[in-house]
Amino acid sequence: MPAPVLRVDRATRRFGELVAVDGASLTLEAGAVSAIVGENGAGKSTLLKLCAGVLAPSSGRVLIGDADLAPATMAEASRRGVGLVHQHFMLVGAFRAIENVVLGAEPVRSGGRLDLATATARVRELMTASGLPVPLDAITDDLTVGERQRLEILRVLYRGARVLLLDEPTAVLSPLEAEELYGTLRRLAAEGRAVAVVTHRLDEVVRFADRVTVMRRGRVVHEAELRLEGGGRRPAAGLEEELTRAIMGGDPPPPFAPPAFAEGAAVALAVAGLRLGDGAGRTLLDGVDLEVRAGEIVGVAGVEGNGQRELVRALAGLEPRAEGTVTVAGQRLDPRARDAVRARRSVLAVVHEDRHEDGLMLEASVADNLVIGDLGDPRSIAFDEAAVVARRLGRFHVDPADPARLAGELSGGNQQKLVVARALDRLLSARATGAAVLAQPTRGVDVGAAAAIHAAIGEAAAAGLGVLVVSADLAELRRLAHRLVVMRRGRIVATLPPTASEAEIGRAMLGVEAA
Amino acid sequence: MSAVFSLTMVAETLRISAPYACAAAGGVWAERSGVIQIGLEGVLLTSAFTSVAVAHATGSAALGVVAGVIAGAAISVGHGLLVEKARVDAVVSGIALNLSAMAGTRLALRGLYGSASNSPAIEGFRFGPTGSAGWSLLARVFADPVTLLAIAAVVATPFVLARTRLGLRVRAAGENPVAAAAVGVDVTRVRLSALAISGAVCALGGVHLAFDQHRFESGMSNGRGFIALAAVVVSGWRAGRAAMACLAFGALEALQIVLQDQARKGSLGDLVQLLPYVATLLVLAFAAGRSAAPKGLGKPAEE
């Protein structure tokens, strides 16, 4: 048994009334990759932050080696070899990659001059040793998501980390990139580091982790060794179910099955020759052709940044420069029309990918968030706001169902339910024909909320809406959709059945020919 | 025409540009660290007055310079404390800084010298040859310690920002304070340091203004802080370009002086006087949309 390099001993962390971590213990050992799973708000990220000194425990201890982490600050944790890779990248976009690596731990010559040559040489060594290639002189904003993540890991290694903590590192990666990442993490662990990964994806845990810790409501409720004595792995069969049950504290919801869909149904959403440039000569959408029939759920797969975001924005009427035609329920939508967004609301429901940026007013009440967009037209004189709010809260199981609460006080999953409720209920209640477009509908939400949102998507399709779902989570798309399309470089490059393997879809995403 | 391409023109350009360039460099230091600073005008005035008051009281020009620089740094840091620690809106704090500098220097003029318009003359620095020939004007510019300090500060700014640890941290604080804090950079401290430098560099401009006239005049900064701010914006918050913009502006103003001498008889002089301002407007109109501000400008140090 190798010595533990980091140990959390019955740590509790409170935020006012809320107990985020409640007497949790965790042991990280050199050479092992540990996974931490649990619903949103279960305390996973908080536990990681306690380990990294970002937060101090209210009671209990964090030990690095044999000594307490004192003072409980990030600087001290970093000095003693603990490094955290944040869920949202902590990088300065305008900096060159190498500047981001050294920021906060800069090598200097006399007079405080930066010694980037020395730093570059050291980072190149690290890149070779760890297999984490990053173009060091490139501007960080120009890097791909995968490169930025490698940059974050390099930055932590540059500081000599012996304990590597990663908060949902694969949420933004394609399946192939995620697999590569775990390969790297395994290698880093084999060199004698301890690695801990917080994730929502159980399939990753089953495939790559040495042990798993399940958290629920701040407590550690389940632990399992996945690597058996003698070097074998625990068989995957039954493991995911076991973990799901521990995460939810009960039986998992029945798996989602898309409602039946008749091939000959009318076309609900038709996109033809949709093009969009960024105004600086770069093509974002390069002639997208797409049809979604009434009652059909079509999933859009693709590596992030291949035009999915722009496609959703163009459909929503937010890109007046878009060329091509978008037809919903037989009605041609003009992107240049005055008030293009409002003009669409009787036939088109849109959920944007970033609920904080585009979806919600976090400082406004749940009620205001649920009806914004329904107010301000002549018919709204007869609009019974309280009734609509109550219906939307109930239909989508928002918890707490309190219209007066601020949206920002809800958990991520319930915030997402608000956004989905507002978009879908408008069409469903009006029994309208039309289409729904949802981008990353369950990003960063827990299993329970995801199930509720999936059920709502199924309901929309059953009611005869054409549904387009854009998601980075292939497993989700395969479960939800009747048909998958793959986007690459602003075009639809493949149409696949949902039964296609992840590897097959992954190859289409990257433009690799089948071997 | 020869008057336009002359040593006089070069000397006048440098002399006139110095306060603009110092204020612009100061603006770059503050805003690249993420703190909105529209109080450059107030820093110019305060430092100009302080340098004259101290030089007059002690009879030492050098002490005057030091006092002016310290005063500039101090009120600039005061602005930083209000914005970063007390969370006062940076625009409000900047306006307050400008107004109180305007009123405060007037009040002090009355209190100390019993005048509403100007201080008594101070000796300042008088090095170099006398006379009004072009070469002697230029020699005087390069023999003036304040001008030399100003040039050094303006030239050093882009290098320090790009090549040093302090510069890297200042830029990080201005671009993404949350990310900077996440790797252990004390964003508030970095911003206050940047504001101290901003105030000191800008103050050199104020001192230059006052020593050039050998006295303080009420409101003598006359909008230079705002024009410098425009130069910062037009240059996309880049120190080198901002200095060039100020030099260009100084050249236009010098041109106006040189031409005015020649056109004194006609009414052309009044129009020529407009030249620098019209140029500013034009440049702003064409460049404003394209420049990229630091992404963390005006964002607090914590989430």
Side-chain angles (χ1 to χ4, degrees):
Chain A
M1 200 75 172
V5 282
L6 188 145
R7 207 150 62 79
V8 180
D9 185 21
R10 284 163 298 174
T12 295
R13 170 69 201 204
R14 292 187 193 84
F15 296 101
E17 297 270 289
L18 180 83
V19 184
V21 170
D22 186 3
S25 296
L26 178 75
T27 302
L28 301 180
E29 283 165 8
V33 176
S34 306
I36 303 171
V37 298
E39 296 197 312
N40 278 356
K44 310 178 300 280
S45 295
T46 308
L47 184 63
L48 226 49
K49 285 179 181 161
L50 292 178
C51 294
V54 177
L55 297 169
S58 310
S59 70
R61 305 199 294 167
V62 176
L63 295 108
I64 298 173
D66 291 326
D68 271 357
L69 175 60
T73 61
M74 212 166 36
E76 176 67 8
S78 171
R79 198 180 64 75
R80 293 185 39 196
V82 179
L84 173 64
V85 174
H86 292 84
Q87 182 176 2
H88 304 285
F89 296 152
M90 291 292 174
L91 296 169
V92 179
F95 275 13
R96 285 185 292 143
I98 184 69
E99 292 179 314
N100 267 309
V101 174
V102 300
L103 179 63
E106 305 87 346
V108 286
R109 291 181 296 217
S110 61
R113 283 174 302 147
L114 286 174
D115 187 0
L116 287 182
T118 306
T120 305
R122 256 201 68 200
V123 175
R124 284 202 197 289
E125 272 171 40
L126 279 173
M127 287 202 295
T128 325
S130 60
L132 291 163
V134 175
L136 291 178
D137 284 323
I139 298 296
T140 307
D141 268 339
D142 296 337
L143 299 180
T144 66
V145 176
E147 283 171 335
R148 268 181 261 177
Q149 182 162 64
R150 295 202 284 273
L151 184 59
E152 284 251 4
I153 298 174
L154 275 176
R155 162 150 90 185
V156 170
L157 296 178
Y158 177 79
R159 279 149 224 251
R162 311 297 305 158
V163 180
L164 203 58
L165 310 166
L166 300 98
D167 197 355
E168 299 206 27
T170 54
V172 292
L173 299 184
S174 69
L176 276 178
E177 285 176 314
E179 195 154 349
E180 244 173 56
L181 172 69
Y182 278 104
T184 306
L185 294 180
R186 289 236 60 94
R187 205 160 45 243
L188 293 172
E191 288 169 7
R193 295 186 184 85
V195 179
V197 179
V198 163
T199 180
H200 273 292
R201 298 191 182 164
L202 296 182
D203 57 314
E204 293 174 357
V205 176
V206 170
R207 286 175 64 198
F208 302 111
D210 294 322
R211 70 168 49 132
V212 55
T213 302
V214 181
M215 293 189 73
R216 190 169 71 240
R217 298 192 178 160
R219 292 168 182 276
V220 171
V221 294
H222 189 70
E223 281 179 296
E225 290 289 333
L226 305 183
R227 182 165 293 259
L228 301 173
E229 302 280 332
R233 291 188 66 81
R234 261 195 61 181
L239 191 53
E240 265 192 56
E241 287 75 3
E242 174 189 321
L243 293 177
T244 308
R245 213 166 294 126
I247 288 168
M248 304 201 56
D251 286 321
F256 177 86
F261 144 71
E263 288 288 339
V267 174
L269 166 69
V271 179
L274 193 62
R275 282 171 194 286
L276 180 67
D278 67 352
R282 231 157 48 96
T283 304
L284 301 171
L285 293 176
D286 188 15
V288 174
D289 297 304
L290 185 67
E291 266 188 11
V292 183
R293 292 176 180 274
E296 188 183 24
I297 304 176
V298 173
V300 180
V303 176
E304 248 176 90
N306 274 277
Q308 298 95 318
R309 187 167 178 275
E310 290 74 21
L311 172 63
V312 172
R313 287 180 55 84
L315 293 178
L318 292 170
E319 297 288 357
R321 289 175 294 115
E323 296 164 34
T325 63
V326 175
T327 315
V328 177
Q331 184 182 335
R332 171 89 182 266
L333 302 178
D334 180 1
R336 273 174 293 272
R338 202 173 60 80
D339 225 1
V341 178
R342 284 171 78 93
R344 298 170 182 226
R345 68 184 179 189
S346 60
V347 291
L348 186 69
V350 181
V351 171
H352 291 283
E353 65 177 38
D354 188 333
R355 57 181 166 267
H356 288 174
E357 282 291 317
D358 303 317
L360 292 171
M361 307 173 288
L362 295 175
E363 305 280 313
S365 72
V366 163
D368 287 350
N369 272 289
L370 278 173
V371 295
I372 178 110
D374 290 303
L375 307 173
D377 81 62
R379 276 169 301 171
S380 68
I381 293 165
F383 184 78
D384 183 347
E385 184 177 324
V388 170
V389 168
R391 184 180 72 223
R392 289 179 182 174
L393 286 176
R395 185 177 209 159
F396 295 88
H397 310 288
V398 177
D399 177 35
D402 176 1
R405 205 173 268 258
L406 297 186
E409 294 172 359
L410 268 52
S411 73
N414 282 295
Q415 289 178 357
Q416 186 68 12
K417 285 186 208 166
L418 288 187
V419 178
V420 174
R422 180 179 63 210
L424 293 184
D425 180 72
R426 186 178 299 144
L427 296 189
L428 290 178
S429 300
R431 299 182 193 292
T433 53
V437 178
L438 301 97
Q440 316 294 353
T442 61
R443 169 169 287 177
V445 314
D446 58 58
V447 183
I453 289 166
H454 289 166
I457 291 173
E459 197 185 334
L465 298 181
V467 182
L468 191 68
V469 179
V470 179
S471 175
D473 182 351
L474 281 188
E476 168 174 59
L477 287 181
R478 292 170 70 214
R479 268 201 310 278
L480 277 178
H482 297 108
R483 179 158 62 91
L484 297 179
V485 297
V486 178
M487 271 192 94
R488 197 162 71 82
R489 296 192 181 161
R491 332 174 49 111
I492 306 271
V493 293
T495 301
L496 296 163
T499 48
S501 71
E502 291 211 2
E504 195 179 339
I505 302 167
R507 277 197 296 274
M509 283 163 63
L510 293 170
V512 185
E513 293 304 318
Chain B
M1 212 53 205
S2 64
V4 177
F5 301 99
S6 62
L7 288 177
T8 307
M9 180 71 190
V10 174
E12 288 291 87
T13 298
L14 284 172
R15 184 179 68 81
I16 293 167
S17 305
Y20 291 112
C22 286
V28 168
W29 270 105
E31 303 223 327
R32 284 300 284 273
S33 85
V35 181
I36 297 169
Q37 171 57 308
I38 62 165
L40 298 170
E41 183 78 5
V43 175
L44 283 176
L45 262 186
T46 310
S47 54
F49 180 82
T50 310
S51 65
V52 169
V54 170
H56 184 258
T58 63
S60 158
L63 273 181
V65 174
V66 171
V69 167
I70 290 176
I75 55 166
S76 181
V77 168
H79 170 67
L81 286 171
L82 280 178
V83 172
E84 291 297 308
K85 294 277 193 194
R87 294 287 164 89
V88 172
D89 187 280
V91 174
V92 172
S93 170
I95 291 174
L97 200 168
N98 286 334
L99 291 178
S100 43
M102 201 99 74
T105 50
R106 260 171 187 259
L107 185 70
L109 264 184
R110 270 217 181 281
L112 286 178
Y113 311 117
S115 160
S117 60
N118 57 268
S119 74
I122 55 161
E123 186 54 24
F125 298 106
R126 289 188 196 275
F127 298 123
T130 49
S132 62
W135 67 270
S136 52
L137 282 177
L138 194 59
R140 280 209 293 280
V141 165
F142 282 110
D144 177 38
V146 180
T147 308
L148 294 178
L149 277 174
I151 292 174
V154 168
V155 170
T157 291
F159 285 97
V160 177
L161 275 173
R163 302 270 176 83
T164 67
R165 170 162 58 191
L166 177 68
L168 186 76
R169 291 183 174 192
V170 166
R171 286 186 285 132
E175 285 289 337
N176 190 343
V178 176
V183 289
V185 173
D186 184 341
V187 173
T188 305
R189 234 179 79 185
V190 166
R191 284 181 169 176
L192 291 179
S193 312
L195 278 166
I197 298 172
S198 161
V201 174
C202 183
L204 282 175
V207 174
H208 185 282
L209 216 50
F211 276 39
D212 190 49
Q213 302 295 317
H214 293 276
R215 65 178 189 181
F216 178 82
E217 291 159 18
S218 179
M220 76 185 306
S221 54
N222 200 18
R224 286 180 175 81
F226 292 111
I227 288 173
L229 199 61
V232 172
V233 174
V234 166
S235 68
W237 284 265
R238 272 168 294 192
R241 291 184 188 201
M244 298 311 285
C246 290
L247 212 54
F249 193 81
L252 283 170
E253 209 173 307
L255 184 68
Q256 165 232 313
I257 291 174
V258 171
L259 289 182
Q260 215 176 0
D261 268 351
Q262 309 210 318
R264 189 153 288 163
K265 289 151 213 143
S267 61
L268 195 62
D270 296 337
L271 281 179
V272 168
Q273 233 169 348
L274 278 175
L275 218 73
Y277 301 95
V278 172
T280 308
L281 277 178
L282 283 178
V283 171
L284 265 183
F286 285 109
R290 268 176 289 152
S291 49
K295 286 219 173 60
L297 187 58
K299 293 212 179 116
E302 284 123 49
E303 273 180 303

